[in-house]
Amino acid sequence: MLWSAWQAARQRDRGGRTLDWDHWRAGIGICLILFMAWLFSENRRAFPVRIVATGLGIQFTLALLLLKVPLARAGLLRLNAVVDALTKATRAGTGFVFGYVGGGTAPFAVTNPEGLTSFAFAILPMVIVISALAALLWYWRVLSVVVHALSFGLRKIMGIG
C-alpha cells in the first residue's frame, strides 16, 4: 500500500505529463534478460544481435497490432471468449465428477473459499482438457499447418532454420 502511494505521488514529471512506470520496468526487465542471455552464452562474440533485434521487433509489432488495431483486438477477444467457455465447461465437468472437491457446490457453509481449491481436482483437469484438445488438433493436422506456417514466416523474416 505504501509502495502504490509512493508511485502515485511520483506519477507526474515536471512537464505535467503522466509517466508510466510499468512500461519502464518492463523495458528494464527485457534489457536485463537480454544482458543475462549474453552474459551466460558460451561464445559472446557470436551472440546473434540481428536475430534478437528482429525477434524483439516482431514481438513489439505483434503487441501493437493486437492492442491497437480494432479488428485484431476483436479477434483476440473472441479467442479469449473461447478459452473462457472452455474453462467454464471444464469446471462444470470437474464439479460434476468430483463434487465440491472439484469446484462444485459445497454441502456445508464455506468459511474460507481460497482453501477449497485443490490443485489435483481443480487445476489439473484443465491441463488435461487443453492437452487432449492439442492432441486432437495435431491429429487433425491443424496444429501442424499452423506450426509450419509460423516456422516458414520466421525463417524468411529472421533468417533462422
Side-chain angles (χ1 to χ4, degrees):
M1 186 161 167
L2 184 60
W3 176 255
S4 61
W6 179 81
Q7 278 187 331
R10 309 279 270 161
Q11 201 70 17
R12 296 210 172 264
D13 68 356
R14 291 185 201 145
R17 297 178 303 247
T18 302
L19 296 175
D20 194 355
W21 294 105
D22 289 336
H23 288 103
W24 282 102
R25 193 175 320 144
I28 291 169
I30 289 172
C31 291
L32 185 65
I33 288 172
L34 290 176
F35 175 72
M36 288 176 55
W38 173 79
L39 186 67
F40 293 125
S41 66
E42 291 179 2
N43 188 358
R44 292 187 188 132
R45 291 177 190 236
F47 192 76
V49 176
R50 185 181 77 73
I51 292 174
V52 171
T54 306
L56 283 174
I58 291 171
Q59 186 174 1
F60 286 128
T61 304
L62 187 62
L64 285 175
L65 177 77
L66 291 176
L67 294 175
K68 299 295 182 186
V69 176
L71 185 63
R73 189 174 185 166
L76 186 64
L77 289 175
R78 283 195 187 110
L79 284 176
N80 187 28
V82 169
V83 172
D84 192 35
L86 188 63
T87 302
K88 286 180 183 176
T90 302
R91 284 188 183 155
T94 305
F96 177 74
V97 172
F98 297 114
Y100 73 93
V101 178
T105 56
F108 50 85
V110 178
T111 57
N112 186 9
E114 292 86 23
L116 198 59
T117 303
S118 169
F119 180 77
F121 295 108
I123 287 122
L124 284 181
M126 186 66 191
V127 172
I128 292 170
V129 167
I130 295 293
S131 299
L133 185 62
L136 187 64
L137 289 175
W138 187 264
Y139 179 75
W140 287 341
R141 299 190 190 276
V142 173
L143 279 182
S144 63
V145 169
V146 171
V147 167
H148 285 295
L150 285 173
S151 68
F152 177 78
L154 288 176
R155 269 186 300 201
K156 293 298 179 187
I157 293 172
M158 298 178 73
I160 58 175

